């Protein structure tokens, strides 16, 4: 799930609260202020798991049930790991949401997170393609073109330096943990491998990255040409 609308549709189909009530609650800073959340960070409350919940009653009741589970999830070890990386749970969740959209490969998730930590520490832009899709609300984009990079949005990490103000999807627990356990690396770049295996090549220098990027681009061009 990527957006409040996605979540509201799922909840509205399974609970007494309809999607309009859900959207109204999630889009109101007045509703969210008691939970130290705002309309950008509210999606960090949702930890994908199995819960025992009553189907009826107002959405606020369900939200408070999920908020308690969120607090339990972050109690102790995970919060300490976040602090060790100089991050809040909300920031870790936001990075995890980007990693979730970048790869399906568990082995690469921690390394991709390390790239983003390194870029943040160097004051570089994250330049994460999934944030462009989210900013434009165009999740069907197959290739990010130069014209997309300047789309004016706080969520477009080519346009804005630093983290987006909130997550771009609801990441899995395994991805959140991969970010928390991300290894220390000197990687600054990554690009898909030209064998289309779903894995990425990681690089510490732009020169090395260009070599990997050209190999992938050549393979992609050949694929598009039907060769």
């Amino acid at each position: 799930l990527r957006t409040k609308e996605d979540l509201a549709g799922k909840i509205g189909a399974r609970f007494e609260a309809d999607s309009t009530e859900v959207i109204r609650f999630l889009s109101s800073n007045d509703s969210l202020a008691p939970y130290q959340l705002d309309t950008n960070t509210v999606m960090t409350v949702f930890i994908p798991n199995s819960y025992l919940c009553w189907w009826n009653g107002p959405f606020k009741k369900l939200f408070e049930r999920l908020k308690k589970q969120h607090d339990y999830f972050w109690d102790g070890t995970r919060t300490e790991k976040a602090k060790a990386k100089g991050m809040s749970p909300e920031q870790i969740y936001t990075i995890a949401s980007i990693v979730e959209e970048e790869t399906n490969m568990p082995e690469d998730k921690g390394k991709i997170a390390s790239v983003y930590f390194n870029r943040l520490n160097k004051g570089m832009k994250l330049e994460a393609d999934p944030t462009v899709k989210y900013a434009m609300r165009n999740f069907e984009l197959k290739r990010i073109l130069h014209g997309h990079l300047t789309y004016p949005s706080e969520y477009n990490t080519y346009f804005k330096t630093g983290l987006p103000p909130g997550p771009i999807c609801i990441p899995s627990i395994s991805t959140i943990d991969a970010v928390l356990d991300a290894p220390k690396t000197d990687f600054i770049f990554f690009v898909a491998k030209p064998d289309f295996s779903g894995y990425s090549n990681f690089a510490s220098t732009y020169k090395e990255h260009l070599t990997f990027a050209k190999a992938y681009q050549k393979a992609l061009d050949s694929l598009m040409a039907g060769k």
Side-chain angles (χ1 to χ4, degrees):
L1 299 179
R2 296 186 175 101
T3 67
K4 295 183 181 77
E5 291 76 14
D6 291 340
L7 181 64
K10 291 285 187 181
I11 291 174
R14 292 166 174 79
F15 291 86
E16 184 178 45
D18 64 21
S19 59
T20 301
E21 179 187 347
V22 176
I23 285 292
R24 187 183 299 118
F25 186 93
L26 298 179
S27 301
S28 168
N29 281 325
D30 289 338
S31 297
L32 301 174
Y35 309 100
Q36 290 76 54
L37 296 164
D38 60 34
T39 55
N40 289 310
T41 59
V42 63
M43 294 295 279
T44 64
V45 166
F46 301 101
I47 307 297
N49 211 333
S50 297
Y51 303 103
L52 179 62
C53 301
W54 295 108
W55 75 273
N56 60 342
F59 174 67
K60 181 180 178 181
K61 181 179 178 182
L62 174 61
F63 183 83
E64 289 179 345
R65 166 73 176 86
L66 296 175
K67 178 65 166 61
K68 286 182 181 179
Q69 186 62 32
H70 162 276
D71 295 344
Y72 175 78
F73 177 84
W74 285 103
D75 185 39
T77 303
R78 288 188 176 94
T79 294
E80 290 306 312
K81 287 182 177 181
K83 287 180 180 178
K85 292 185 179 299
M87 295 276 165
S88 68
E90 291 76 21
Q91 289 171 320
I92 291 292
Y93 191 104
T94 297
I95 293 173
S97 74
I98 300 174
V99 173
E100 184 82 16
E101 293 286 283
E102 288 281 16
T103 185
N104 294 318
M105 302 301 172
E107 300 90 340
D108 276 2
K109 289 181 177 182
K111 288 183 284 187
I112 290 174
S114 79
V115 169
Y116 292 137
F117 285 129
N118 291 339
R119 289 183 183 179
L120 287 169
N121 290 335
K122 291 178 179 292
M124 298 172 63
K125 290 181 178 178
L126 293 188
E127 297 188 346
D129 288 359
T131 67
V132 180
K133 297 180 182 181
Y134 183 88
M136 299 181 70
R137 292 299 196 273
N138 185 350
F139 302 108
E140 303 306 316
L141 280 176
K142 300 301 182 185
R143 300 179 78 170
I144 303 299
L145 304 177
H146 183 73
H148 299 139
L149 306 184
T150 55
Y151 186 81
S153 169
E154 292 292 294
Y155 282 88
N156 181 358
T157 57
Y158 281 89
F159 177 78
K160 175 185 175 291
T161 301
L163 286 174
I168 63 170
C169 74
I170 297 178
S172 65
I173 290 175
S174 62
T175 301
I176 295 171
D177 285 338
V179 173
L180 288 170
D181 294 329
K184 289 186 177 181
T185 72
D186 55 3
F187 298 141
I188 299 295
F189 308 98
F190 68 96
V191 66
K193 287 188 173 183
D195 61 2
F196 303 110
S197 62
Y199 291 95
S200 295
N201 279 317
F202 295 83
S204 306
T205 66
Y206 187 61
K207 181 179 179 180
E208 185 181 19
H209 172 64
L210 277 181
T211 300
F212 291 142
K214 287 178 180 177
Y216 175 70
Q217 189 61 55
K218 182 178 179 180
L220 188 60
D221 289 342
S222 295
L223 180 68
M224 298 294 285
K227 295 180 180 178

